Amino acid sequence: MARYTDAVCRLCRREGQKLFLKGDRCYTDKCAADRRPYPPGQHGQGRAKTSEYGLQLREKQKARRYYGILENQFRNYYNLAIKRKGKTGEVLLALLETRLDNAVYRLGFAMSRAEARQLVQHGHFLVNGKKVNIPSFLLKPGMIVSIKEKSRSLDKIKGVIEANASRQPPKWLEYDANALIAKVVATPLREDIDIPIEEQLIVELYSK
């Protein structure tokens, strides 16, 4: 399965904002986006003019990097969004938001989406009682996400859950912290998705 394997801090610097790709480190003074708040590379500190296309491209790249997916997969999500009812940009974000790895991150079972992706691939999570190890698995209303019984005693998972105890899950997920079970109660609305993305620019980019 293809994935980005280079340094992720440079992605935040390129987008000019924190994408929270490294979990705890993003909240410390070691965060590269805070220490070097300019794009990477030898011309990073130079003046650059941004065209309309450039703005659209940056929004698309930002969305891809938030959710940790590559270009072809992102385009497939866009093509799927076109076929569904509603505003294409909002449908696109809803699709990305309902990926299993993102739900695991939103529930506080992982410190970052990359970590959530790894945990899902290692088979630590169940959907409707069955093991699912595909990070891109799309959740639908009524589905139940839980941690596999044997995995609940792992120090790594217990530590992350404890550290994220104060994290509030989005409205589209109903979470029982005692049972470590979450139910998808609705399709995410735009106001439920807190990432700073101007999805209309992405639609404009792909509509050309």
Side-chain angles (χ1 to χ4, degrees):
M1 183 180 293
R3 62 189 179 90
Y4 180 84
T5 57
D6 290 336
V8 295
C9 289
R10 66 185 291 114
L11 300 183
C12 298
R13 293 177 56 206
R14 181 62 188 87
E15 302 307 332
Q17 67 184 67
K18 290 188 178 186
L19 304 180
F20 300 98
L21 303 178
K22 297 200 74 171
D24 281 346
R25 185 185 180 93
C26 299
Y27 297 95
T28 70
D29 56 6
K30 294 182 180 180
C31 176
D34 287 337
R35 297 173 64 184
R36 290 174 289 174
Y38 48 85
Q42 63 178 344
H43 302 298
Q45 297 185 67
R47 296 176 60 185
K49 294 182 179 179
T50 304
S51 64
E52 180 184 6
Y53 171 79
L55 291 173
Q56 296 166 349
L57 178 63
R58 291 270 57 85
E59 288 304 301
K60 187 261 292 181
Q61 295 292 73
K62 193 189 306 180
R64 282 206 310 107
R65 289 163 176 175
Y66 259 116
Y67 290 99
I69 57 180
L70 300 182
E71 178 60 40
N72 286 342
Q73 193 175 17
F74 190 87
R75 184 60 187 255
N76 289 338
Y77 281 121
Y78 178 79
N79 291 336
L80 182 59
I82 291 176
K83 300 175 183 178
R84 298 197 177 186
K85 293 181 179 179
K87 296 181 179 180
T88 300
E90 294 183 5
V91 174
L92 172 63
L93 290 185
L95 287 170
L96 296 172
E97 193 71 7
T98 52
R99 284 171 54 101
L100 178 57
D101 56 355
N102 180 72
V104 167
Y105 167 72
R106 292 290 195 186
L107 289 167
F109 295 152
M111 298 304 294
S112 66
R113 289 181 177 86
E115 184 177 77
R117 178 190 180 108
Q118 184 180 59
L119 290 173
V120 171
Q121 288 177 323
H122 289 177
H124 293 297
F125 293 92
L126 308 175
V127 177
N128 290 345
K130 296 181 179 180
K131 184 178 76 172
V132 176
N133 59 4
I134 303 173
S136 60
F137 180 87
L138 293 179
L139 298 170
K140 298 178 182 179
M143 289 184 172
I144 295 176
V145 179
S146 59
I147 302 177
K148 194 166 66 173
E149 195 64 39
K150 291 183 179 179
S151 302
R152 299 185 182 201
S153 59
L154 296 177
D155 290 338
K156 171 64 176 177
I157 292 179
K158 288 167 61 178
V160 171
I161 292 174
E162 183 178 338
N164 290 330
S166 61
R167 182 183 294 180
Q168 294 296 316
K171 293 180 180 179
W172 60 276
L173 288 171
E174 187 178 86
Y175 178 48
D176 184 337
N178 294 320
L180 298 180
I181 292 176
K183 181 178 181 180
V184 182
V185 295
T187 299
L189 300 176
R190 183 60 184 95
E191 55 264 31
D192 299 329
I193 304 173
D194 58 3
I195 63 172
I197 294 290
E198 294 184 46
E199 63 275 7
Q200 184 56 35
L201 291 178
I202 301 174
V203 175
E204 292 171 5
L205 175 67
Y206 280 131
S207 298
K208 292 183 176 180

